[in-house]
């Protein structure tokens, strides 16, 4: 009986008994004691069962012509050459002076499989943990109030909302009893396109506004429009009459003209859990605080707060300034700046335990819109924000005045002489801090587009499209150009193929003088001019293309965007300012 036959009879497969000897680096045949200690099983030379003519010759010459393949764990070792000394019996090898595999290679071979298993296990665990975090995040569908997704290549605006809703143990002493969750703290965070800067604009809860009509998603999937209200506090844009965060986003747009892309909402518990997750947040007060209402007790100077004490710090309003909401906003800005520094510090980022605690706390504490409702997207948002230096994260507040309609001053109104400049700077992606401008050469080339000769208005040949402006804007602009500015060779061609955020003028090189003149008439900046190709009008003549974007304010209203932010009362996230 051959080796294979004996293996079947004894229920032993000799091929499975070839194992690596770590001392020699060779594979050896290991059989049970009852099995014959035979050499490597192989077919007899020249007599394979299905060999054809000449097969025996090829079989005898093959070892001299081909190098044997490296044996695997289930493959016998290579045959010895004819005339080579016989191998010692299995189990009786003596040390070889020149093993085929170095010690380093053997270690790599043994550990490689283990490392692969660990990587697979970690990947599986990471996936499961990611799914776990996904389950922590609460989302709200705000419909058309926000964007459906997040882009890493654009500026973005996120509305951060802190509600006064009492949820969780130990929060009975905060907020209004029975509150449905109003917009108590509101910060519009704008992150610049080039990630060199960010602006955190606080919106007072007691700001008098008009809340617009708000479509809200109902639990059964239907949509209900909550009617708007006029001359009310900003904080009623959330919770009141069933309003969702989308209503607050729409209110921000109505007040500032700034489109909000996404929202993040948290309640009192978020302050407690986030500060505890990072091991406390450093704050500073100019004088000792002993507030009986918030139960905040702090000595003068710097302190570290977390949990209940951190919540008391951001809620206190009777210990600072005029004991009003505007002074409390400054304290909250100082706190958020410190929290940002702590979350991005090496002490946090290199501590796995803190990172896991922070991930758990953040995902459990936040409610976000469906556009950023996945953990991977929230991670992308955080990474993009992390690119901004803390010294270029500006905290400021909507410029306001005391409400002139009140004898007892309790609310405020937008300061119309100062606020529009602040809103325009944010819309135009202008930094409130001195940042190093990127790509200066390119900026100089853009500015140069307005340098040169201008054609006469009558020589401008232009086709007008509506690319996101209010309905009727293209016809309105056509009438204005023809009847007021003397541009008779103009045509209105309806809607553009795709909406634009800003108004643009496209033209060929030989039409640059016409483009400059049109820019002068409309108050367009150099960045609005797009050299390239023009199109032919109805007569087959070349015409520049004017596309009215979402920034269009009306025919004859100049569209020049600011290049410098106005001076405002501000602080930056890199510095600690003692609350007073």
């Amino acid at each position: 009986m051959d080796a294979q036959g004996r293996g079947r009879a004894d229920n032993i497969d000799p091929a499975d008994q070839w194992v690596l000897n770590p001392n020699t680096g060779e594979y050896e045949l290991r059989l049970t004691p009852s099995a014959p200690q035979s050499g490597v099983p192989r077919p007899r030379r020249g007599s394979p069962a299905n060999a054809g003519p000449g097969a025996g010759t090829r079989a005898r010459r093959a070892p001299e012509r081909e190098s044997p393949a490296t044996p695997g764990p289930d493959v016998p070792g290579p045959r010895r050459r004819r005339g080579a000394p016989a191998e010692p019996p299995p189990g009786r090898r003596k040390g070889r002076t020149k093993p085929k595999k170095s010690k380093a290679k053997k270690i790599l071979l043994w550990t490689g499989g283990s490392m692969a298993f660990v990587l697979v296990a970690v990947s599986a665990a990471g996936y499961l943990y990611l799914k776990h975090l996904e389950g922590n995040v609460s989302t709200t569908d705000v419909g058309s109030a926000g964007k459906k997704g997040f882009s890493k290549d654009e500026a973005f605006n996120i509305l951060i909302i802190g509600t006064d809703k009492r949820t969780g143990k130990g929060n009975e002493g905060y907020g209004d009893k029975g509150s449905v969750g109003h917009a108590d703290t509101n910060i519009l965070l704008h992150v610049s396109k080039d990630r060199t800067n960010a602006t955190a604009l606080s919106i007072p809860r007691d700001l008098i506004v008009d809340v617009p009509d708000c479509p809200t998603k109902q639990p059964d999937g239907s949509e209900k429009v909550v009617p708007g209200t006029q001359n009310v506090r900003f904080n009623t844009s959330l919770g009141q009459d069933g309003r969702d965060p989308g209503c607050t986003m729409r209110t921000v747009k109505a007040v500032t003209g700034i489109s909000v892309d996404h929202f993040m909402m948290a309640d009192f518990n978020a302050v407690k859990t986030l500060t505890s997750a990072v091991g406390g947040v450093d704050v500073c007060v100019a004088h000792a605080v002993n507030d009986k209402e918030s139960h905040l007790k702090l000595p003068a100077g710097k302190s570290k707060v977390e949990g209940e004490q951190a919540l008391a710090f951001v809620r206190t309003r009777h210990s600072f300034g005029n004991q009003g909401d505007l002074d409390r906003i400054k304290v909250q800005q100082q706190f958020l700046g410190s929290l940002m520094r702590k979350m991005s510090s090496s002490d946090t980022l290199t501590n796995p335990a803190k990172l896991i605690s922070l991930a758990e706390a953040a995902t459990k504490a936040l409610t976000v819109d469906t556009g950023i409702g996945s953990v991977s997207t929230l991670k992308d948002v955080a990474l993009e924000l992390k690119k901004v230096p803390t010294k270029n994260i500006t905290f400021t507040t909507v410029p306001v005045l005391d409400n002139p309609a009140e004898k007892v001053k309790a609310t405020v109104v937008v300061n119309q002489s100062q606020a529009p400049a602040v809103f325009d700077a944010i819309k135009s992606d202008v930094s409130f801090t001195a940042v190093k401008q990127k790509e200066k050469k390119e900026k100089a080339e853009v500015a140069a587009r307005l340098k040169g000769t201008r054609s006469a208005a009558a020589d401008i040949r232009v086709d007008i499209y509506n690319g996101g402006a209010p309905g009727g804007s293209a016809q309105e602009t056509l009438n204005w150009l023809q009847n007021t500015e003397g541009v008779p060779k103009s045509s209105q061609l309806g809607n553009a193929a795709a909406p634009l955020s800003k108004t643009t003028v496209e033209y060929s090189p030989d039409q640059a003088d016409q483009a400059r003149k049109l820019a002068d008439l409309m108050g367009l900046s150099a960045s609005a001019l797009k050299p390239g190709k023009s199109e032919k009008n109805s007569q087959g003549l070349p015409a520049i293309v004017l596309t009215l974007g979402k920034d269009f304010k009306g025919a004859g209203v100049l569209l020049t965007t600011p290049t410098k932010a106005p001076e405002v009362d501000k602080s930056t996230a890199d510095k600690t300012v003692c609350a007073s």
Side-chain angles (χ1 to χ4, degrees):
M1 183 181 295
D2 60 12
Q4 289 181 335
R6 288 195 302 272
R8 284 191 297 270
D10 299 332
N11 198 26
I12 296 176
D13 184 355
D16 288 340
Q17 303 303 312
W18 288 89
V19 297
L20 179 70
N21 186 332
N23 296 320
T24 64
E26 296 290 345
Y27 282 85
E28 299 176 357
L29 181 62
R30 301 276 178 99
L31 297 178
T32 59
S34 61
Q37 301 296 313
S38 64
V40 176
R42 59 174 67 88
R44 297 179 180 179
R45 288 183 177 175
S47 59
N50 59 349
T57 303
R58 286 194 298 272
R60 286 192 297 271
R61 295 175 63 182
E64 300 176 1
R65 188 171 64 247
E66 300 175 357
S67 59
T70 303
D74 297 331
V75 181
R79 306 166 184 255
R80 64 183 178 88
R81 292 178 180 271
R82 184 186 305 172
E87 292 282 341
R92 298 182 181 179
R93 289 182 184 271
K94 295 183 180 180
R96 295 174 60 94
T97 58
K98 189 177 180 181
K100 291 186 178 181
K101 289 182 172 60
S102 68
K103 185 175 181 180
K105 287 184 178 179
K106 286 187 290 181
I107 293 173
L108 183 63
L109 183 65
W110 281 93
T111 60
S114 301
M115 182 59 69
F117 176 77
V118 170
L119 290 175
V120 170
V122 168
S123 298
Y127 173 78
L128 293 175
Y129 186 65
L130 180 65
K131 299 305 291 182
H132 162 71
L133 292 179
E134 294 275 9
N136 289 345
V137 181
S138 299
T139 60
T140 299
D141 186 353
V142 296
S144 60
K147 288 187 175 180
K148 299 300 182 184
F150 175 74
S151 173
K152 299 179 183 180
D153 302 320
E154 298 177 351
F156 60 90
N157 300 315
I158 295 181
L159 181 63
I160 301 170
I161 306 172
T163 75
D164 60 358
K165 188 174 183 179
R166 295 181 179 183
T167 59
K169 184 178 180 181
N171 295 327
E172 296 82 3
Y174 299 102
D176 297 328
K177 186 176 182 180
S179 173
V180 293
H182 292 119
D184 194 54
T185 300
N186 309 276
I187 297 177
L188 178 61
L189 178 64
H190 169 81
V191 181
S192 70
K193 182 176 181 179
D194 61 8
R195 307 300 187 249
T196 62
N197 65 93
T199 302
L201 180 69
S202 292
I203 303 172
R205 67 174 190 175
D206 295 326
L207 179 67
I208 296 300
V209 298
D210 292 340
V211 178
D213 293 346
C214 180
T216 59
K217 296 285 185 178
Q218 303 301 302
D220 62 359
S222 62
E223 186 175 271
K224 174 185 176 182
V225 177
V226 179
T229 52
Q230 288 72 47
N231 204 37
V232 294
R233 279 180 166 87
F234 181 90
N235 68 343
T236 61
S237 64
L238 177 68
Q240 197 79 13
D241 302 322
R243 294 186 176 115
D244 66 9
C247 300
T248 310
M249 296 166 70
R250 296 176 193 273
T251 304
V252 171
K253 175 66 180 296
V255 173
T256 66
I258 302 170
S259 296
V260 183
D261 303 317
H262 306 284
F263 84 88
M264 293 182 179
M265 183 172 67
D267 58 17
F268 294 145
N269 284 326
V271 177
K272 295 181 182 181
T273 56
L274 287 175
T275 53
S276 295
V278 297
V281 172
D282 297 324
V283 298
C284 181
V285 293
H287 53 79
V289 174
N290 187 359
D291 193 323
K292 295 181 179 179
E293 293 194 26
S294 68
H295 310 295
L296 177 67
K297 292 183 179 181
L298 289 177
K302 295 182 179 180
S303 299
K304 180 177 288 187
V305 297
E306 68 173 281
E308 194 73 36
Q309 195 177 33
L311 178 58
F313 182 81
V314 298
R315 291 291 304 164
T316 296
R317 62 184 298 176
H318 298 289
S319 299
F320 306 113
N322 295 323
Q323 303 185 11
D325 189 50
L326 295 180
D327 290 297
R328 183 173 64 171
I329 285 175
K330 293 180 181 180
V331 175
Q332 292 171 344
Q333 291 172 347
Q334 178 212 132
F335 175 84
L336 286 175
S338 183
L339 179 60
M340 285 182 176
R341 292 193 299 273
K342 191 62 179 285
M343 290 174 68
S344 62
S345 69
S346 58
D347 179 54
T348 299
L349 297 178
T350 59
N351 188 322
K354 281 189 178 181
L355 285 176
I356 291 176
S357 295
L358 186 58
E360 290 285 353
T363 52
K364 289 179 180 177
L366 294 176
T367 297
V368 301
D369 61 281
T370 52
I372 55 172
S374 69
V375 170
S376 60
T377 305
L378 287 173
K379 177 207 67 177
D380 290 340
V381 173
L383 290 177
E384 292 304 304
L385 181 58
K386 189 177 181 296
K387 294 178 182 178
V388 182
T390 53
K391 66 179 181 179
N392 291 331
I393 299 177
T394 302
F395 289 99
T396 189
T397 305
V398 173
V400 296
L401 298 170
D402 287 333
N403 188 350
E406 294 176 337
K407 290 183 179 181
V408 178
K409 305 303 180 185
T411 60
V412 293
V413 296
V414 172
N415 185 336
Q416 294 297 340
S417 66
Q418 296 179 7
V422 174
F423 302 154
D424 287 344
I426 294 175
K427 283 189 290 185
S428 301
D429 205 21
V430 177
S431 175
F432 283 79
T433 56
V435 298
K436 184 178 180 180
Q437 296 295 327
K438 292 183 176 181
E439 302 173 347
K440 290 185 178 180
K441 182 179 179 181
E442 181 179 342
K443 289 181 179 294
E445 291 176 352
V446 171
R449 295 172 189 171
L450 283 175
K451 297 180 180 179
T453 60
R454 267 75 169 161
S455 71
D459 293 333
I460 298 175
R461 191 176 287 113
V462 57
D463 288 341
I464 307 167
Y465 292 88
N466 189 329
S473 295
Q475 184 61 46
E476 179 188 353
T477 302
L478 175 69
N479 297 336
W480 172 71
L481 286 174
Q482 290 182 344
N483 301 326
T484 305
E485 300 300 330
V487 185
K489 301 174 184 177
S490 49
S491 304
Q492 189 270 107
L493 299 180
N495 294 328
L500 299 177
S501 59
K502 295 185 178 181
T503 299
T504 62
V505 176
E506 298 178 74
Y507 57 95
S508 59
D510 60 345
Q511 296 170 311
D513 57 343
Q514 296 181 40
R516 295 188 196 105
K517 181 62 177 179
L518 184 60
D520 291 345
L521 295 176
M522 299 192 64
L524 295 172
S525 64
S527 61
L529 302 183
K530 306 295 181 183
K533 296 181 180 180
S534 60
E535 65 179 30
K536 292 184 178 181
N537 63 12
S538 57
Q539 290 80 37
L541 300 173
I544 62 179
V545 179
L546 170 64
T547 305
L548 306 176
K550 295 179 180 178
D551 62 338
F552 183 75
K553 302 175 183 178
V557 180
L558 299 183
L559 289 173
T560 303
T561 56
T563 57
K564 185 178 180 181
E567 292 296 327
V568 294
D569 183 14
K570 65 184 180 182
S571 62
T572 53
D574 64 319
K575 296 178 181 178
T576 300
V577 180
C578 293
S580 59

